[in-house]
């Protein structure tokens, strides 16, 4: 999968979960706190998104450096 598409899909999923967490009215407990399941879903999705973003950028950077080194060694 291409890095741009992977980041786009991960961003759309994360944004959808955050929108679900904030905009959809969901039941609250007697103290007015949100359900722990929804809060955990938003938290876990955000962590997974940040992991995917970091790995995609790290691998993309490694590929760019590798191609730069190949071009540089060919010029000599």
């Amino acid at each position: 999968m291409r890095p741009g598409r992977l980041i786009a899909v991960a961003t759309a999923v994360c944004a959808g979960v955050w929108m679900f967490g904030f905009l959809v009215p969901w039941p609250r407990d007697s103290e007015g706190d949100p359900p722990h399941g929804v809060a955990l879903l938003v938290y876990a999705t955000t962590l997974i998104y940040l992991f995917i973003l970091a790995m995609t950028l790290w691998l993309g950077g490694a590929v760019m450096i590798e191609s730069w080194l190949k071009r540089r060694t060919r010029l000599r």
Side-chain angles (χ1 to χ4, degrees):
M1 186 173 222
R2 301 178 85 180
R5 288 185 183 173
L6 182 63
I7 291 174
V9 169
T11 302
V13 169
C14 189
V17 170
W18 272 91
M19 189 170 37
F20 169 75
F22 282 124
L23 299 179
V24 175
W26 21 282
R28 297 177 178 267
D29 62 6
S30 60
E31 297 176 2
D33 295 331
H36 295 293
V38 175
L40 182 63
L41 177 68
V42 171
Y43 180 71
T45 303
T46 302
L47 286 179
I48 292 170
Y49 171 71
L50 291 174
F51 177 75
I52 289 172
L53 184 65
M55 289 298 109
T56 304
L57 293 176
W58 181 62
L59 290 173
V63 169
M64 286 176 49
I65 290 172
E66 182 183 6
S67 68
W68 179 76
L69 287 173
K70 282 183 182 178
R71 278 186 282 136
R72 186 173 169 95
T73 56
R74 266 190 266 152
L75 294 176
R76 290 183 179 188

